[in-house]
Amino acid sequence: MTDARETLRLIYFDFPFWRAEASRLALHIGGVEFEDVRPGREEFRAMKASGELPYGQLPVLDVDGVRIAQSVAIARFCGKRAGLYPESDVDQARVDELLDTATQITSLLTPSFKESDPERRAALRANLVARDLPQWFGFLEARLLANGDGGFLVGDQLTIADLLFWKLLGWFSGGLLDGIPKTVLDGQPHLRAHFDTIDSLPEVREWMERHYGSPS
Amino acid sequence: MTDARETLRLIYFDFPFWRAEASRLALHIGGVEFEDVRPGREEFRAMKASGELPYGQLPVLDVDGVRIAQSVAIARFCGKRAGLYPESDVDQARVDELLDTATQITSLLTPSFKESDPERRAALRANLVARDLPQWFGFLEARLLANGDGGFLVGDQLTIADLLFWKLLGWFSGGLLDGIPKTVLDGQPHLRAHFDTIDSLPEVREWMERHYGSPS
């Protein structure tokens, strides 16, 4: 899977948001060497001002000097290199569907992130907890169950989709988002179990300890 | 590319929004047979209520009875079947990047679609026209120019990314979105020329005439 002559350089902030963390972790699990560049805010501003970021945002991935942007495109590429992307076109599409769903679920937060009024913001978050998140996590629970008892989202092996949702669901249920309780996954026991399975993989534990000195 | 034994069934409304039209058109151009199912609003409501739609939304694609959801995942699969998706992982990632960018540009409209107050809605649209759209179309213009003079977004052949942006940019510049003028691409002459190139392909003309009896 890995081309030994290829040079990979992944650029993102020094925090474990899914937009780059699923890609970094995939490369780590796959034993693929890459330059793990973590700019600070000032460096990011300078990059943005220089016009070197195709859409003014991170992450970007340089593959032998060819710059690729967009989190999900990068995650798919890293999944391929790490052996964490399926072989068949249909299973690839099933993984792709889930990656796009991660983007859609993340976008549910946009209105509340943009809302500066604390009361309106709290109301938006309450609505998410009461309505949108149970609906979307329910969709995911159904997708997981439709894949059988193997514990993975697609097929019977770990894919980039599992890593990406581990990060996404950990973010939503980690108590870091105002108004979203740690119990937000409690209505979806299989999805919760999926999170715990990925979270306890030795390579995941090792990576999180090394970079963030933290249990999850 | 096409597996003759495979049965494809693409389900979406009877209008040419990019979310399914790029996929339908790709299959048409590639000469890939598929069932082109176009439910009305009532049929859609019934589908949604039955729980058969993985995320309660269209399009979905059935591949030998395996249901795939999410517009971009479907477009990529159809691009593969139609021979409109590159061979190398890096060029695939470049196409993927653009497909994700289409989602991001579309999401710029969400706040104004959700705004019911006409004045606030008009202000949001004015902001898009003054700031966000020129910025994002400028990003695309730069991506197009970085690919050289071939007239395509990635490499020197038509890909699913060209078809998808043809639809997306036609929508933005078609005068159908309140407050967004038909001149919205005028600041990006190469992007405008790209639109015109794809728009005048004989297969595109034929498809649009057949299904919508309309020039674009």
Side-chain angles (χ1 to χ4, degrees):
Chain A
M1 224 75 62
T2 307
D3 182 338
R5 297 158 304 181
E6 189 180 72
T7 303
L8 299 181
R9 192 161 175 268
L10 181 51
I11 307 174
Y12 192 66
F13 307 107
D14 188 26
F15 53 73
F17 187 40
W18 71 263
R19 290 198 178 279
E21 193 69 1
S23 297
R24 290 169 179 157
L25 182 54
L27 295 174
H28 169 69
I29 291 176
V32 181
E33 270 190 45
F34 70 106
E35 194 182 343
D36 185 351
V37 184
R38 302 183 179 221
R41 289 283 164 189
E42 281 312 309
E43 283 169 279
F44 168 63
R45 278 194 202 99
M47 282 178 184
K48 194 168 165 165
S50 77
E52 68 177 278
L53 302 177
Y55 309 99
Q57 54 195 19
L58 293 177
V60 293
L61 173 71
D62 293 335
V63 185
D64 286 339
V66 176
R67 178 152 287 187
I68 307 294
Q70 293 290 7
S71 318
V72 166
I74 291 169
R76 184 177 300 102
F77 182 91
C78 293
K80 287 178 189 175
R81 284 294 177 272
L84 297 174
Y85 193 63
E87 289 294 314
S88 84
D89 288 340
V90 173
D91 281 348
Q92 289 183 356
R94 292 171 65 207
V95 167
D96 291 348
E97 171 197 300
L98 289 160
L99 301 184
D100 292 342
T101 298
T103 297
Q104 198 171 353
I105 291 176
T106 303
S107 76
L108 296 174
L109 288 170
T110 309
S112 58
F113 274 131
K114 285 193 172 170
E115 180 58 66
S116 51
D117 178 78
E119 271 187 44
R120 279 202 294 264
R121 187 182 157 112
L124 288 168
R125 287 284 163 90
N127 228 339
L128 283 181
V129 171
R131 194 189 57 186
D132 301 275
L133 294 180
Q135 180 185 36
W136 281 89
F137 294 156
F139 290 146
L140 284 173
E141 174 99 343
R143 267 339 216 174
L144 184 64
L145 287 173
N147 190 48
D149 273 340
F152 300 109
L153 282 163
V154 176
D156 55 4
Q157 287 179 43
L158 185 73
T159 68
I160 185 72
D162 296 303
L163 296 180
L164 206 148
F165 273 100
W166 164 71
K167 256 325 9 160
L168 181 73
L169 298 177
W171 181 47
F172 271 100
S173 65
L176 294 168
L177 291 164
D178 286 347
I180 299 185
K182 290 187 179 187
T183 53
V184 71
L185 288 181
D186 283 4
Q188 319 297 343
H190 296 86
L191 199 60
R192 180 80 227 179
H194 174 268
F195 173 83
D196 292 337
T197 301
I198 308 302
D199 196 55
S200 60
L201 291 175
E203 301 95 324
V204 171
R205 291 289 91 232
E206 195 247 316
W207 175 261
M208 292 307 293
E209 281 296 330
R210 187 200 303 180
H211 286 284
Y212 310 103
S214 79
S216 70
Chain B
M1 227 73 64
T2 307
D3 182 338
R5 297 158 304 179
E6 188 180 72
T7 303
L8 299 180
R9 191 161 175 267
L10 181 51
I11 307 175
Y12 191 68
F13 308 107
D14 188 27
F15 53 72
F17 187 40
W18 70 263
R19 289 198 178 279
E21 193 69 1
S23 298
R24 290 169 180 158
L25 182 55
L27 295 174
H28 169 70
I29 291 175
V32 182
E33 269 191 46
F34 70 105
E35 194 183 342
D36 185 350
V37 184
R38 300 182 179 222
R41 288 283 165 190
E42 282 310 309
E43 284 169 279
F44 168 63
R45 276 192 205 101
M47 282 178 183
K48 195 167 166 167
S50 77
E52 68 177 280
L53 302 177
Y55 309 99
Q57 54 195 20
L58 292 177
V60 294
L61 173 71
D62 293 334
V63 185
D64 286 339
V66 177
R67 178 151 286 185
I68 306 294
Q70 292 291 9
S71 318
V72 167
I74 291 170
R76 183 178 300 102
F77 182 90
C78 293
K80 288 177 188 175
R81 285 295 178 269
L84 297 173
Y85 192 65
E87 288 295 314
S88 83
D89 289 340
V90 172
D91 281 347
Q92 290 182 356
R94 292 171 66 208
V95 167
D96 291 348
E97 170 197 299
L98 288 159
L99 301 185
D100 292 342
T101 299
T103 297
Q104 198 171 355
I105 291 176
T106 302
S107 76
L108 296 173
L109 287 170
T110 309
S112 58
F113 274 130
K114 285 192 173 171
E115 179 58 65
S116 52
D117 179 79
E119 269 187 46
R120 280 201 294 265
R121 187 182 158 109
L124 288 168
R125 287 285 163 89
N127 228 339
L128 284 180
V129 170
R131 193 190 56 186
D132 301 276
L133 294 180
Q135 180 186 34
W136 280 89
F137 294 157
F139 289 146
L140 285 174
E141 175 100 343
R143 266 341 216 171
L144 183 65
L145 288 173
N147 190 48
D149 272 339
F152 300 108
L153 283 163
V154 175
D156 56 5
Q157 287 179 43
L158 185 72
T159 68
I160 185 71
D162 296 304
L163 296 181
L164 205 150
F165 273 100
W166 164 70
K167 255 327 7 160
L168 181 73
L169 298 177
W171 181 47
F172 271 99
S173 65
L176 294 168
L177 292 164
D178 286 347
I180 300 185
K182 290 188 178 186
T183 53
V184 72
L185 289 180
D186 283 5
Q188 318 297 344
H190 296 85
L191 199 59
R192 178 81 227 179
H194 174 269
F195 174 83
D196 292 339
T197 300
I198 308 301
D199 195 56
S200 60
L201 292 175
E203 301 95 325
V204 171
R205 290 290 92 233
E206 194 247 316
W207 175 261
M208 292 307 292
E209 282 295 331
R210 187 201 302 180
H211 286 282
Y212 311 102
S214 76
S216 72

